[in-house]
Amino acid sequence: MNSTAVAAPTVNARRNRGRRVAVIGSGSWGTTFAKVLTDAGCDVTIWARRPELANEIQVAKRNSQYLPGINLPKRLSATSDLGTALRGAELVFLAVPSQTLRQNLLDLEPFLDRRSVLVSLVKGVEKSTTMRMSEVIADTLDLPPERIAAVSGPNIALEIAKEQPTGAVASCADLAVAQEIATAASAPYFRTYVNTDVVGTELGGVLKNLIALAIGIVDGVGYGENTKAAIITRGLAEMTEFAVASGADAATLSGLAGLGDLIATCQSPLSRNNTAGRLIGQGYSQEETKEQMQQVAEGITSVPPVLELARERGIVMPIVEQVQMVLSGTMAPANLGPHLATEDDVPRPEQRFDAAQPGRWRRFVNRMKGSPA
């Protein structure tokens, strides 16, 4: 995995002058990311499905439904017309629900510039196909790898909208493209790094939602910090084993797109998946939870396809299996903690990787220390 920081924000602002980008989706994350891009110096147009929301962003520079109390940049433009949003956009950031991405891609295809790079901000898996979002983009629009990318990391939208510092990773098979995206998305309070491990970057964002659901469930039940720490730690092991079996670099899962995102999503009351899990742990049904939140918790829709992929790859994911049992009503929320990660009573190794894996970890640790491999 190649990983490096991008240039200072003041330099980025000069580099981004005149750079046209579009953000498709005006929920909390789409609007926040549009703010980041604007503050990084880009010329940004955000697309909102509802004309009244586009008008509020365009005129009042507010998104009162998803980001109450946040003033948006004066330079940020908004529209409900896809053609207007995409006109001249060299980077198109996608911030729509995972289960509607394919249809949104079909809708925007007639207006897409043939050189545009599509960047997924979506942390989910398509339920009907088990595809990651970059795979959905490739399958729907038949784009080459160098025109498909993803951005992921510890990104609680409201905190970033308040300009609380954080970081993220821009990932593309073409490192130069990842660097262009990172330059466009590095504001004074938002630092973007790069890698070429699209699989690991996307899967980190998908899998941490499932562990955050588990954390929310046991929090709703009333379990304490020991239980939650054990779930986070064992959850990271499940995430890493699944990702590596899918072709990812293990080091990605210990970075911003993996561990960083996992910590933020599991501990923040602003996390949609944590909140959904907590409500379910308190006895609310999935339908009642959805009504309470009025937002999509991607983790709930991602559990079945992730488990389907895990079975295909011979991966055992006890925590995610138990989350599914709670969601389906075959396990009481209070039982998720006691059954933490045990398939049976036989003591198991804490980490399970193939023979080549320790060497990869050793090289990663050596890189962090600055020593030769």
Side-chain angles (χ1 to χ4, degrees):
M1 180 189 71
N2 298 311
S3 184
T4 180
V6 297
T10 53
V11 175
N12 283 348
R14 291 196 295 272
R15 288 179 177 174
N16 288 329
R17 191 172 297 130
R19 188 195 295 269
R20 283 275 297 119
V21 303
V23 177
I24 306 302
S26 56
S28 56
W29 184 219
T31 306
T32 295
F33 208 82
K35 180 183 186 305
V36 169
L37 292 162
T38 306
D39 289 342
C42 299
D43 293 336
V44 185
T45 301
I46 185 170
W47 174 81
R49 179 176 52 83
R50 292 182 287 123
E52 63 272 18
L53 179 52
N55 187 65
E56 182 187 23
I57 296 172
Q58 175 69 21
V59 177
K61 303 305 177 186
R62 291 288 188 103
N63 186 335
S64 54
Q65 179 179 356
Y66 294 109
L67 291 175
I70 299 297
N71 293 318
L72 299 173
K74 292 180 180 179
R75 292 177 52 244
L76 174 61
S77 298
T79 181
S80 60
D81 180 74
L82 274 173
T84 301
L86 293 167
R87 190 172 300 127
E90 56 186 274
L91 298 174
V92 178
F93 293 86
L94 303 165
V96 297
S98 59
Q99 306 313 310
T100 66
L101 176 62
R102 189 177 292 271
Q103 184 57 54
N104 278 276
L105 291 170
L106 292 172
D107 292 341
L108 65 80
E109 184 176 17
F111 310 104
L112 194 64
D113 188 285
R114 60 183 178 83
R115 296 163 296 180
S116 296
V117 174
L118 272 64
V119 187
S120 171
L121 304 176
V122 187
K123 298 176 180 180
V125 175
E126 189 174 49
K127 192 172 181 179
S128 60
T129 65
T130 70
M131 287 181 178
R132 291 176 285 107
M133 297 298 97
S134 64
E135 293 175 311
V136 173
I137 295 170
D139 185 57
T140 307
L141 301 181
D142 194 27
L143 299 182
E146 63 270 19
R147 288 186 59 196
I148 302 173
V151 171
S152 194
N155 301 149
I156 303 296
L158 186 58
E159 292 181 4
I160 298 171
K162 291 179 178 179
E163 301 187 6
Q164 297 179 10
T166 190
V169 177
S171 184
C172 180
D174 186 326
L175 183 60
V177 174
Q179 289 170 331
E180 284 297 309
I181 296 165
T183 299
S186 284
Y189 52 91
F190 194 88
R191 180 82 164 185
T192 304
Y193 297 80
V194 297
N195 72 36
T196 56
D197 182 16
V198 178
V199 175
T201 300
E202 284 193 299
L203 286 179
V206 171
L207 298 171
K208 58 86 186 183
N209 285 335
L210 316 188
I211 308 305
L213 281 172
I215 291 292
I217 289 168
V218 299
D219 196 28
V221 169
Y223 290 127
E225 300 309 314
N226 288 337
T227 305
K228 287 183 277 187
I231 289 175
I232 289 173
T233 308
R234 294 305 306 152
L236 180 60
E238 289 188 21
M239 289 169 58
T240 304
E241 187 176 8
F242 181 97
V244 169
S246 304
D249 189 322
T252 303
L253 276 293
S254 68
L256 287 167
L259 179 59
D261 201 3
L262 177 65
I263 292 171
T265 308
C266 285
Q267 72 178 11
S268 174
L270 298 174
S271 160
R272 288 175 289 180
N273 292 281
N274 186 308
T275 300
R278 189 165 61 251
L279 290 170
I280 290 167
Q282 291 170 350
Y284 290 88
S285 68
Q286 286 190 53
E287 191 57 41
E288 291 168 336
T289 296
K290 187 176 180 180
E291 289 175 7
Q292 285 261 27
M293 293 177 59
Q294 296 184 333
Q295 289 195 76
V296 175
E298 291 283 7
I300 291 178
T301 57
S302 295
V303 170
V306 165
L307 286 176
E308 182 181 336
L309 288 170
R311 294 184 193 107
E312 289 176 4
R313 290 160 193 176
I315 303 298
V316 178
M317 304 184 78
I319 294 174
V320 181
E321 290 277 6
Q322 290 161 40
V323 169
Q324 175 59 30
M325 292 169 71
V326 171
L327 294 176
S328 64
T330 59
M331 174 185 280
N335 288 337
L336 193 152
H339 288 97
L340 182 56
T342 55
E343 301 96 78
D344 50 44
D345 292 331
V346 178
R348 302 285 180 181
E350 185 180 14
Q351 302 286 357
R352 293 178 295 186
F353 297 112
D354 59 37
Q357 199 58 43
R360 298 175 77 181
W361 274 107
R362 197 176 301 115
R363 288 195 298 274
F364 169 69
V365 172
N366 286 339
R367 287 202 301 272
M368 294 299 99
K369 291 179 179 177
S371 63

